[in-house]
Amino acid sequence: MRTVVILVLLALCCSMPLLAQQDKPTEQRTTIVVQNEQPVKDTYYSIRVGAWFPEGWEDWDKVQSTGDAKEEIDQSQALGIDFHFRKNVGHPIYVDVALAGWYSSYKSKLTDLNLESVKNTDAWVVVIPLTLGISVAPLPDNPFQPYAMAGAGLYTGITGRDRRVSETNEPVTETYFQFGWFGGVGVDFLFSPNFGISVAAKYQAIEFEFDKVDYTQQENFTGVQVMAGVVMRI
């Protein structure tokens, strides 16, 4: 009998750790992986400078006859600066807004004319395009971004001249407004995620109706613009 009691006690002692292990709550560990996704930078700001080559521009740099007089005309190259904003509205479409300013000067001299009045005219013109357009950039997000663009807008033309009449100067300035359109191509190349260079060429179709064309000798500014500068992406 004593032996049976001892065996029962030994069995109870051995089973108690197992029962305690079964009653102990099970610990579970959950690992959460957090991925930090960087927002896509899809807004471009560019500042470019360049030259404008209106059709027939070289024809004005010449000598032409005006009645009994010969008129010597010297026209400078049209130079300007362009501020361009592009915003992605869904790949591959961008909305474009551009504001630019272009300047050209004209010198007119009448020869073989006995009259002392209206001998020389120093004139200039400033063209300010404010345009809205659409551009298409077919490549995915990467440092090299070529695109094609088209749009239209309001073109402001400001003409002025300093004509010498009887040894006195008569400065005159006139402002004109005209709607026009453009088409072109460009490319932005980023050296870093936020900064790079920008190159573009635009064909601008714009013709003014100046009341006094002798100020500038040219009303039709339809032609190609070539520009280069810097771009920021944010």
Side-chain angles (χ1 to χ4, degrees):
M1 186 67 180
R2 184 181 300 175
T3 302
V4 175
V5 173
I6 293 174
L7 292 174
V8 171
L9 292 176
L10 288 174
L12 291 175
C13 292
C14 293
S15 61
M16 288 182 64
L18 295 176
L19 294 174
Q21 185 68 25
Q22 291 178 356
D23 295 338
K24 185 178 180 181
T26 303
E27 295 182 358
Q28 295 181 350
R29 293 183 179 180
T30 303
T31 302
I32 301 175
V33 179
V34 179
Q35 296 181 350
N36 293 324
E37 295 184 358
Q38 297 295 329
V40 177
K41 298 178 180 180
D42 56 4
T43 303
Y44 294 79
Y45 297 89
S46 62
I47 302 176
R48 300 177 294 221
V49 295
W52 191 347
F53 304 91
E55 298 174 356
W57 172 80
E58 65 279 359
D59 295 338
W60 288 108
D61 195 13
K62 64 181 182 180
V63 177
Q64 62 184 17
S65 296
T66 305
D68 296 332
K70 290 182 179 180
E71 185 176 12
E72 298 178 359
I73 302 171
D74 182 17
Q75 177 175 340
S76 71
Q77 175 64 60
L79 303 176
I81 184 170
D82 178 87
F83 300 92
H84 191 197
F85 166 83
R86 292 199 307 130
K87 172 69 175 179
N88 183 262
V89 294
H91 184 80
I93 305 299
Y94 287 75
V95 171
D96 292 16
V97 179
L99 175 65
W102 298 87
Y103 173 84
S104 182
S105 64
Y106 307 76
K107 293 183 180 296
S108 173
K109 181 180 180 181
L110 293 175
T111 61
D112 299 335
L113 189 65
N114 294 326
L115 296 177
E116 291 297 327
S117 63
V118 193
K119 281 275 190 172
N120 302 308
T121 299
D122 293 334
W124 51 266
V125 61
V126 174
V127 180
I128 305 174
L130 176 58
T131 59
L132 176 65
I134 297 292
S135 63
V136 178
L139 296 184
D141 182 48
N142 62 66
F144 183 75
Q145 280 293 320
Y147 57 91
M149 54 186 166
L154 179 66
Y155 293 69
T156 302
I158 305 173
T159 65
R161 66 110 165 97
D162 184 9
R163 173 172 287 175
R164 183 170 294 280
V165 180
S166 301
E167 303 301 326
T168 62
N169 293 328
E170 291 185 351
V172 178
T173 302
E174 300 285 345
T175 303
Y176 303 85
F177 301 96
Q178 191 72 34
F179 286 97
W181 59 270
F182 73 92
V185 294
V187 60
D188 295 329
F189 182 77
L190 300 176
F191 298 126
S192 70
N194 300 319
F195 185 79
I197 61 174
S198 178
V199 179
K202 289 182 179 180
Y203 180 83
Q204 300 272 11
I206 175 64
E207 183 173 2
F208 291 97
E209 296 180 359
F210 294 149
D211 294 335
K212 303 177 180 62
V213 294
D214 59 328
Y215 287 9
T216 64
Q217 302 293 336
Q218 183 172 353
E219 292 179 305
N220 189 356
F221 285 84
T222 298
V224 176
Q225 297 172 349
V226 180
M227 302 165 290
V230 297
V231 61
M232 293 184 61
R233 184 177 73 166
I234 62 173

